[in-house]
Amino acid sequence: MITESPLLDNPDGPVPGITPTGGPIQSAITYEKIPTHIYADAKDASRAVAQEIADLIRQKQSEGKPCVLGLATGSSPKTVYAELIRMHREEGLSFRNVVTFNLDEYYPMEPDSLQSYWRFMREQLFDHVDIPQGNYHVPDGTVRVDKVGEFAKQYEADIEAAGGLDFQLLGIGGNGHIGFNEPGSLINSHTRLMMLDNSTRAAASSDFGGLPKTPRKAITMGVASILNARRVVLLAWGERKAPVIRGAVEGLVTELNPASYLQTHPNALFVIDEAAASELTRMKTPWLVDSVVWDNKMKKKAVTYLSLTLGKPVLKLTDRDYNDNGMSDLLAQYGQAYDINIDVFNQLQHTITGWPGGKPNADDTNRPERALPAHKRCLIFSPHPDDDIISMGGTFQRLVDQGHEVHIGYQTSGNIAVADDEALRFADYVVDFNAKFGIKSPEATRIFQDAAASLREKKDSEKDTNEVRYVKGLIRMGEAKSTCRFVGIPVENAHFLNMPFYETGTVAKKPLSEEDIKITMALIEEIKPHQIYAAGDLADPHGTHKVCLDAVLEAVRRLKHKNFMKDCWVWLYRGAWAEWDIHEIEMAVPMSPDQVMRKRLGIFKHQSQKDGVVYQGTDSREFWQRAEERNRATAGLYNRLGLAEYEAMEAFVRWRF
Ligand code: F6R
């Protein structure tokens, strides 16, 4: 664990005013109204939560009592369940005295359906531990609608009869929902049928093959039912949860953010990773909460924050601005605002370069990249077949135009993001093409005919056949090659890795395997790059981007002793969702209006990802729109800080290994 809230922690927590490591004295200011533990990543955090649950189960066992757990589904608790299973297998943790009640279930929903929470719980936990059948309960999505009220009352009575919840595990929706208590739910609400918020449906739509097929209702335990638990622990991973976490932890108690009701619970804890914590005051503006070490990074963070908050360019900040905004100790270190301003302004200026591969024959002391070697081998890892052009298309083009040898490692096939009718169109095309030109390839025709037939007959939520997945993968491969030709690299420089972890045919992926890492290492060894670019996505901690990043970082760690790696720098770009914070950026590559337009045309090559895609999520914009708005926003921030005004900018952070 890296940090705990200084004052509001449980009695066994750190001494008020002192950091857990006994570090510097903390100020008495805290903005947090719920004890919050922040961990470096979800894995560490999940281990701590699983340990708490295991301790509780064992304590109840020693008292000869049942342990009554309220459980959640969704992506957040998966790592906790995995750790509990490990403890069962390796440490003999028994679940024989455990009784569980799940928070919610979609309605209507058959228990054996791919998306049911009943099935989720069996696959993620119950089938792997010794919990007696009959001890676990999930709201029944098959109850007749006129019987739901009765069912809900009985569900609560059953919890009561079991002795009430000893422990309730929660995730949190992007809109603040707990269970499926959507915004507007009252603090005294009980188990009931709930209409799902549009944003909740959009977030779930990838599991259901699109929004129209996503349920509109769910049965959920109410807010009061949750607050009745003797202990409540809420999990949140990834920066997409950061704003709603800040609202729940620091904001007012409001039905607009149901998780904020946990402020009224005497024994609630938020366990979150650094990314989900990133909007909390102690993370975003730590100098307001505590004394900080003013290293270059912290100075850049504080000064850019001050400048953007006050709406004043960095070079115009005054002594008074620093004093009035909790940064008088920084001012005292420098003596006057002018010197801090110049220092941070220079830091910012030195991140900007039109030469992402280094500028040949130029002094590179203050440039983000080395001048030598003048012609570099660059390896761009692209998690899906379009991330290279969406997230760093301008930089990709510059690297090619400036004479570097650019290779792309397409990490996954991206096949599940192709719509069925798109695949059908291509399958039909091949059959017609063969027929028209008299090409006798009965095997190919059979494969494509089978694929076409299976697509026509496929039921909702059924997995694609291997052939269909292959067709879908081919479509995306063709689009990626088309982008490479457009940018100007030979198609041989496009390497399709088809990492096995991705090939499940469903949204849920396998964990990263040794084979995935080996494939990644093999490509790095083949290219021996001077630069590696990878998608450094934290916004989607359980998603494909994070697994792809883990593969690259692990491959680099294992190869770092090799000679060629001494010359290799790793740059991280962000995926389609978010951009690096301005103070984190170490290389910003500007784009002219023409370059923005060219990048747009490169993104257009990905026809299967246009006009309402399978995994649209909550953002209805097309990918080229997201990319342009984001790149313009980065340029806008540099400009507001008082630097030159560019049309757009792509941003990178260096990963030092
Ligand atoms: C699921 C549930 C929901 C989820 C929430 C977050 O049982 O009750 O409140 O916890 O939607 O989902 P993830 O963890 O997938 O982001």
Side-chain angles (χ1 to χ4, degrees), residues 71-77 102-104 117 170-174 177-181 200 220 235 237 241:
L71 297 180
T73 53
S75 59
S76 310
N102 261 81
L103 281 166
D104 41 24
Y117 283 167
L170 294 176
I172 179 171
H177 73 214
I178 46 176
F180 276 133
N181 293 285
T200 301
T220 181
L235 315 171
W237 324 133
K241 299 282 169 74

Side-chain angles (χ1 to χ4, degrees), residues 54-322:
D55 290 347
L56 184 66
I57 294 173
R58 288 197 176 107
Q59 181 207 319
K60 291 279 179 177
Q61 258 158 23
S62 70
E63 293 166 6
K65 289 184 185 156
C67 180
V68 187
L69 303 176
L71 297 180
T73 53
S75 59
S76 310
K78 281 186 183 174
T79 31
V80 173
Y81 298 147
E83 176 63 8
L84 286 172
I85 293 170
R86 191 200 62 76
M87 288 169 142
H88 170 70
R89 288 186 181 148
E90 294 173 17
E91 295 168 13
L93 175 67
S94 170
F95 287 73
R96 297 211 69 80
N97 67 325
V98 173
V99 179
T100 69
F101 291 88
N102 261 81
L103 281 166
D104 41 24
E105 176 61 284
Y106 291 112
Y107 186 86
M109 179 57 66
E110 292 294 329
D112 60 351
S113 162
L114 270 181
Q115 304 87 354
S116 90
Y117 283 167
W118 172 260
R119 182 168 176 157
F120 174 101
M121 286 309 301
R122 293 196 54 166
E123 287 175 357
Q124 298 293 324
L125 182 64
F126 300 149
D127 285 354
H128 309 283
V129 295
D130 61 344
I131 185 168
Q133 251 188 26
N135 273 21
Y136 47 88
H137 310 83
V138 178
D140 183 356
T142 66
V143 182
R144 266 184 21 211
V145 72
D146 56 323
K147 299 278 183 207
V148 171
E150 216 173 283
F151 171 84
K153 275 208 182 91
Q154 190 56 49
Y155 201 69
E156 301 229 340
D158 290 347
I159 296 175
E160 214 42 49
L165 298 170
D166 293 308
F167 182 103
Q168 175 67 57
L169 190 65
L170 294 176
I172 179 171
N175 60 3
H177 73 214
I178 46 176
F180 276 133
N181 293 285
E182 301 287 21
S185 296
L186 296 180
I187 193 164
N188 58 2
S189 55
H190 284 276
T191 303
R192 67 203 185 287
L193 194 60
M194 186 81 205
M195 288 305 289
L196 295 177
D197 200 80
N198 199 47
S199 66
T200 301
R201 292 185 63 233
S205 63
S206 54
D207 293 335
F208 289 91
L211 198 57
K213 297 177 195 160
T214 306
R216 294 179 180 279
K217 294 178 192 164
I219 299 177
T220 181
M221 269 164 60
V223 177
S225 334
I226 292 169
L227 293 177
N228 269 338
R230 288 182 272 281
R231 168 77 162 160
V232 181
V233 173
L234 181 145
L235 315 171
W237 324 133
E239 66 185 0
R240 273 195 266 195
K241 299 282 169 74
V244 80
I245 286 291
R246 179 180 176 136
V249 173
E250 297 188 5
L252 297 174
V253 176
T254 165
E255 74 275 14
L256 299 177
N257 182 346
S260 68
Y261 287 133
L262 294 168
Q263 290 182 21
T264 68
H265 193 282
N267 194 17
L269 174 72
F270 278 25
V271 176
I272 62 182
D273 67 1
E274 272 185 63
S278 58
E279 288 292 322
L280 292 180
T281 304
R282 71 169 137 144
M283 300 296 272
K284 207 173 171 67
T285 51
W287 52 90
L288 296 179
V289 181
D290 198 355
S291 52
V292 296
V293 178
W294 288 111
D295 57 14
N296 273 348
K297 232 177 158 179
M298 189 62 83
K299 278 186 275 184
K300 200 170 154 197
K301 180 174 170 127
V303 175
T304 50
Y305 173 84
L306 188 63
S307 159
L308 294 171
T309 309
L310 299 182
K312 270 182 168 185
V314 169
L315 293 177
K316 287 191 176 178
L317 294 171
T318 63
D319 289 5
R320 176 147 188 210
D321 293 330
Y322 285 93

Side-chain angles (χ1 to χ4, degrees), residues 423-433 448 452 456:
L424 199 53
R425 188 163 74 86
F426 275 81
D428 278 353
Y429 174 89
V430 172
V431 174
D432 290 348
F433 183 93
F448 280 102
R456 282 197 194 96

Side-chain angles (χ1 to χ4, degrees), residues 445-470:
T445 307
R446 185 196 62 74
I447 289 171
F448 280 102
Q449 275 170 345
D450 285 356
S454 91
L455 276 176
R456 282 197 194 96
E457 284 153 24
K458 193 178 91 170
K459 292 195 199 75
D460 288 355
S461 77
E462 247 176 32
K463 275 207 269 184
D464 285 333
T465 61
N466 287 346
E467 282 86 356
V468 170
R469 274 161 48 201
Y470 188 69

